[in-house]
């Protein structure tokens, strides 16, 4: 059993909520609290959320996390 980790980020729009909702629907689990920060280079607020998932595959660096 391998625990996979992803950190989802997106501008502060409904796209972020959809990204997290999709991950949850695929079996990912929320880890910790969401983050919210100002991206000064782009002038927008950004959201972030860590998620994890237990899978029955061996970890390799080329594993496509979003496809698990």
């Amino acid at each position: 059993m391998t625990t996979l980790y992803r950190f989802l980020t997106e501008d502060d729009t409904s796209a972020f909520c959809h990204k997290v909702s999709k991950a949850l629907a695929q079996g990912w689990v929320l880890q910790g609290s969401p983050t919210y920060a100002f991206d000064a280079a782009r002038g927008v607020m950004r959201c972030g959320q860590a998620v994890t998932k237990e899978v029955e595959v061996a970890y390799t660096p080329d594993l496509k996390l979003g496809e698990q």
Side-chain angles (χ1 to χ4, degrees), residues 11-52:
D11 290 351
D12 182 21
T13 67
S14 64
F16 175 72
C17 296
H18 286 286
K19 185 181 279 191
V20 173
S21 295
K22 180 180 178 183
L24 294 174
Q26 293 173 331
W28 292 84
V29 178
L30 299 175
Q31 291 298 313
S33 299
T35 60
Y36 195 60
F38 183 67
D39 180 345
R42 295 181 50 235
V44 298
M45 294 300 292
R46 299 274 297 170
C47 300
Q49 175 65 58
V51 293
T52 61

Side-chain angles (χ1 to χ4, degrees), residues 51-67:
V51 293
T52 61
K53 185 176 185 180
E54 298 288 329
V55 295
E56 295 283 342
V57 299
Y59 173 78
T60 62
D62 60 331
L63 191 65
K64 301 225 183 284
L65 299 176
E67 295 176 6

